[in-house]
Amino acid sequence: MGSSPYAHPLPSPSTPAGRDGLAALIARPGSAVVALDFDGTLAEIVADPEQARAHPGAVPALARLAPEVASVAVVTGRPAGVAVRYGGFAGVPGLDHLVVLGHYGAERWDAVTGTVHTPAPHPGVTAVRAELPGFLDSVGAWHGTWIEEKGQAVAVHTRRTAEPKAAFEALREPLAALAERHGLVLEPGRMVLELRPPGMDKGVALAEYVRETGAESVLYAGDDLGDLPAFAAVEKLRSDGVPGLLVCSGSTEVTELAVRADLLLPGPAAVVRFLAALAERL
């Protein structure tokens, strides 16, 4: 059997739809959008989200891939500017076709201009931000929990507590009630509960961006419950005749994503290898 002409073999999706999506991307890369979550997909999940950084190979792989496709989009719940800093995306040769859709698309950073477009904060987020510390104390959940300030949203992390899963489940209902009281929605993730305005999700952001670019194929890679709407958006695009590939950055914590993916990769290092292999193929 002859050896592959490529240094990095490209893994094959396990589903017919996924194989069609990858084939369409390879056949017409100039009309393809490659969209990627940040935390857990391009960056390892860490106990302190402020310490998260893109995998060392992520920017080189994206810089090789971006010139070959219509666009690379990082779709994240983080503020766009934070994702740009933690990703190291600014001022990188080859990343002219990169955009960061922060706050689930409410914010946008474009590599060409280097600027962030930000809407006014939701009043409910402002109210919850002030109320959360006392609220967590009142329900006996202050010790070990950590509040992440996200500008257009606020998140409560339980990964640092003595029993992260138990703390997560105990807080789910009270935080849902708090969110509803202020006109927000509660979005659960991997040991994190995020309170944010309704109508903000990665599916809406991705679908709008695909329409904007006129993409004829799309790849989306994610790892968490917040990525399920983006998966649903790609599935809808496929039903409308736009080929798509769904990649799960191997999370054993979020099986709901894994069962819907066309390709399972065991974490950010494997995602980066896949992006490098895809760039090489193109």
Side-chain angles (χ1 to χ4, degrees):
M1 186 173 178
S3 62
S4 168
Y6 301 103
H8 304 92
L10 195 60
S12 178
S14 62
T15 66
R19 289 191 289 272
D20 289 346
L22 181 58
L25 193 160
I26 291 172
R28 300 181 301 281
S31 60
V33 163
V34 174
L36 309 153
D37 169 48
F38 186 73
D39 293 280
T41 301
L42 291 177
E44 295 287 353
I45 295 292
V46 292
D48 181 355
E50 291 185 353
Q51 301 304 314
R53 296 296 184 270
H55 183 279
V59 166
L62 292 175
R64 289 187 63 194
L65 179 62
E68 307 298 333
V69 298
S71 178
V72 172
V74 175
V75 188
T76 176
R78 287 186 181 271
V82 172
V84 171
R85 290 198 306 275
Y86 291 3
F89 300 135
V92 177
L95 284 188
D96 294 351
H97 290 190
L98 178 76
V99 300
V100 175
L101 304 177
H103 284 313
Y104 309 92
E107 289 187 348
R108 176 166 169 168
W109 176 87
D110 193 307
V112 173
T113 63
T115 58
V116 175
H117 298 278
T118 306
H122 188 286
V125 173
T126 303
V128 162
R129 182 182 296 119
E131 190 173 337
L132 255 182
F135 178 85
L136 291 174
D137 194 34
S138 71
V139 297
W142 180 251
H143 185 69
T145 54
W146 186 80
I147 298 172
E148 182 184 5
E149 172 53 58
K150 303 183 78 171
Q152 302 291 325
V154 183
V156 178
H157 293 260
T158 66
R159 195 174 290 274
R160 294 180 186 173
T161 62
E163 297 183 45
K165 185 64 175 175
F168 175 89
E169 293 299 338
L171 282 172
R172 197 166 182 161
E173 190 172 322
L175 286 177
L178 177 65
E180 184 177 4
R181 190 161 74 247
H182 291 287
L184 305 177
V185 295
L186 185 72
E187 178 69 43
R190 294 169 67 178
M191 303 303 127
V192 60
L193 293 153
E194 183 171 309
L195 297 87
R196 68 170 188 250
M200 292 171 57
D201 69 47
K202 293 181 181 180
V204 172
L206 180 60
E208 289 182 353
Y209 190 66
V210 168
R211 281 195 296 271
E212 175 189 328
T213 58
E216 295 176 7
S217 65
V218 59
L219 179 157
Y220 186 81
D223 76 305
D224 204 348
L225 291 171
D227 296 302
L228 284 171
F231 268 41
V234 173
E235 290 164 349
K236 175 64 166 59
L237 286 165
R238 293 200 293 208
S239 71
D240 293 338
V242 178
L245 172 63
L246 293 169
V247 178
C248 177
S249 178
S251 168
T252 56
E253 294 177 357
V254 188
T255 55
E256 297 96 324
L257 211 67
V259 298
R260 289 170 66 173
D262 306 305
L263 182 62
L264 293 173
L265 299 173
V271 171
V272 167
R273 286 194 297 271
F274 170 75
L275 295 173
L278 182 59
E280 184 177 358
R281 179 67 60 91
L282 300 181

